[in-house]
Amino acid sequence: MTISIKMVVLIFLLALVTDFRDHRIPNLLTLPALLGGLMFHAATGGLTGSLWALKGALFGGALLIIPFALGGMGGGDVKLLAAAGAWLGPHGVGHLFIYGALVGALISIVLMARHGDFKKIGRVKTDVLNLIFTREGADFSSRRHGFAYSIPMAAGLGLFILNGPVI
C-alpha cells in the first residue's frame, strides 16, 4: 500500500469519527490533508507531481459540487473528497467516487425502502432542474432519513483498495 493510500485511509478514519460524533467534517482535518497531499506530491514529483495533485483535488471537489449546491451534503464532504484527490490524483479519486456513489445509492435505497419514502427518487430530478433554472438549492429540511456521506466514501475507498480501478 502506497503512502498516499495510507494517508487517505487515515484521513477518512478521522473524518468518520468526527462525522459520527459531531455530524461534520472539520476544516482542521480537510485543509491540512489537502495541503499535505499537494506538498507531498510537489516534493516527490516536482511540477508534474504538483499538477497531478492539484488536478486530483479540483476533480475531487468538483464531483460533489452539485450535491452540495442542492443542499444534499455538507462542505466538509466536498473538501474531504478534494483532499483525497490531492493524495490519489484525478483517476484515483474518480474511482473512489464511483465506488462511494454506488455504496451511497445502495444505502439510500435501503433507507427509502425501510421508511417507505420512494417518492424521494422523483424529487432528485425536480431538485436538479430547480437548481439549474432558479439557482436555488433544494429544501432538505423535511427529509428525515439522511446519512453521513463519509460512510459510503470510506466504503468506496475500501473497495478501491481491494478491487483497484472500476473499469
Side-chain angles (χ1 to χ4, degrees):
M1 194 178 319
T2 68
I3 191 159
S4 291
I5 290 177
K6 289 177 183 176
M7 288 302 298
V8 175
V9 167
L10 175 63
I11 293 161
F12 273 54
L13 288 174
L14 293 170
L16 282 168
V17 169
T18 61
D19 208 2
F20 276 119
R21 186 185 62 212
D22 305 327
H23 303 288
R24 60 186 301 271
I25 303 170
N27 289 340
L28 192 58
L29 172 62
T30 57
L31 297 182
L34 173 67
L35 292 174
L38 294 172
M39 291 178 3
F40 174 80
H41 289 292
T44 59
L47 181 60
T48 302
S50 296
L51 292 175
W52 180 81
L54 182 60
K55 286 178 190 176
L58 292 172
F59 185 52
L63 287 168
L64 295 180
I65 208 69
I66 291 176
F68 171 73
L70 288 171
M73 65 180 46
D77 298 312
V78 177
K79 291 178 274 189
L80 179 63
L81 202 59
W87 285 99
L88 300 176
H91 291 97
V93 77
H95 293 295
L96 184 160
F97 171 78
I98 292 168
Y99 281 124
L102 292 172
V103 172
L106 180 61
I107 292 170
S108 295
I109 290 168
V110 167
L111 287 173
M112 284 187 288
R114 185 173 168 200
H115 299 287
D117 286 343
F118 284 104
K119 293 176 192 169
K120 286 184 180 182
I121 294 172
R123 286 191 215 153
V124 173
K125 178 181 75 170
T126 304
D127 292 342
V128 171
L129 292 173
N130 188 39
L131 176 68
I132 292 169
F133 293 112
T134 67
R135 307 259 189 253
E136 294 179 12
D139 178 17
F140 283 86
S141 61
S142 64
R143 300 180 190 186
R144 314 176 306 274
H145 309 298
F147 57 92
Y149 200 68
S150 60
I151 297 167
M153 282 199 293
L157 175 62
L159 289 169
F160 175 56
I161 291 168
L162 291 174
N163 297 322
V166 177
I167 51 173

